Amino acid sequence: MRAQFDDFLLDSSSRQLTRGGRQVPLSPKAFDVLVLLLAERPNVVTKATLLDRVWADTPAAADANLTVVIADLRRALGDNPQAPRYLRTVHRFGYAFCGDATVDVPAVPASAGDQAPAATRVVLTWGDETRRLGDGEHLIGRDPECSVWLDVPGVSRRHARLRVDGQRVTIEDLASTNGTFIDDVPVKGSQPLLHGQRIHFGPLEVRFRQSSAAVRTVKTVRTPARRRS
């Protein structure tokens, strides 16, 4: 689904919300709630339905989880609960998208004379999992609200932050318990990433890939496994 409201554009395929062409950071749960409310607009979606659909993997989720996500979503949209433009609260019942929106907006192909740099695609892979990331900041960790959720023992709840800015990609460890490593070298401060590098978030190895018209690559050599305390 592609939906446009005011200067916001939501693309469910790429899981991105942009405003005036710039990405608006949203947690995975906040994004899913917005998609559901847009799909059901102008009808009210009950709290039970939202919890059942968005928190299907968390049976113990309660109204408090939904309240926090709605508050985060309103902050991201610049919406005022007392005078809502987008999200209307139906007391003790649910929420509705109350703004004007156009759904199934066609993608606009780049013109031949467009001089903007080629889009960069960032991909993280581990095991059978793949995550594609667009421009902006992405939290990585064991917290389900992280952009990249790593449900692995030894990974901290908010382990690291990855930032995509066009062709430049950097990563920063967030004082995690077991550290973040690039090709077995610990990450200190904000460090750039190159196509093909291995990232360790604690015990989990993730492969970083990036494709564009011109991307520097690095050939990695696997070193003997290091001991972690």
Side-chain angles (χ1 to χ4, degrees):
M1 178 177 74
R2 285 171 58 87
Q4 185 163 9
F5 51 100
D6 291 338
D7 53 350
F8 290 99
L9 177 64
L10 178 142
D11 189 327
S12 61
S13 297
S14 63
R15 293 189 63 83
Q16 291 189 73
L17 176 69
T18 58
R19 183 175 194 176
R22 298 181 65 84
Q23 183 163 331
V24 179
L26 283 181
S27 70
K29 291 290 191 287
F31 188 90
D32 291 340
V33 166
L34 181 57
V35 168
L36 185 52
L37 293 178
L38 277 165
E40 297 296 329
R41 77 194 196 293
N43 298 329
V44 179
V45 182
T46 66
K47 291 182 179 181
T49 298
L50 286 164
L51 289 170
D52 182 61
R53 296 274 295 276
V54 177
W55 278 267
D57 57 345
T58 313
D63 284 1
N65 301 85
L66 179 56
T67 300
V68 170
V69 165
I70 290 292
D72 289 344
L73 191 51
R74 280 182 168 135
R75 278 193 293 271
L77 298 176
D79 204 22
N80 182 350
Q82 279 71 48
R85 296 177 60 193
Y86 307 119
L87 304 182
R88 179 170 65 92
T89 301
V90 180
H91 189 53
R92 295 188 177 182
F93 187 77
Y95 302 92
F97 187 90
C98 59
D100 293 328
T102 303
V103 175
D104 294 331
V105 179
V108 179
S111 63
D114 192 350
Q115 299 300 312
T120 300
R121 173 166 293 183
V122 169
V123 181
L124 300 179
T125 57
W126 66 98
D128 296 328
E129 299 287 336
T130 299
R131 293 291 183 276
R132 291 177 172 81
L133 306 177
D135 278 359
E137 291 189 352
H138 305 275
L139 286 176
I140 301 171
R142 200 161 41 85
D143 188 334
E145 298 300 318
C146 287
S147 303
V148 181
W149 181 32
L150 304 178
D151 190 19
V152 176
V155 174
S156 297
R157 290 184 62 80
R158 296 201 169 204
H159 197 105
R161 179 186 292 111
L162 187 146
R163 180 171 180 79
V164 183
D165 185 7
Q167 294 183 12
R168 176 175 170 79
V169 184
T170 56
I171 193 166
E172 175 187 4
D173 183 74
L174 299 178
S176 63
T177 301
N178 293 314
T180 303
F181 299 79
I182 300 176
D183 292 336
D184 297 316
V185 178
V187 171
K188 303 294 184 183
S190 179
Q191 295 187 207
L193 283 169
L194 299 178
H195 173 75
Q197 288 187 310
R198 293 177 294 112
I199 313 170
H200 277 91
F201 302 103
L204 180 67
E205 179 176 303
V206 174
R207 179 71 67 171
F208 170 78
R209 292 184 174 86
Q210 180 181 15
S211 61
S212 69
V215 175
R216 292 179 59 202
T217 61
V218 59
K219 181 176 181 181
T220 61
V221 178
R222 186 176 295 277
T223 58
R226 62 188 178 281
R227 295 179 60 188
R228 295 191 179 88
S229 56

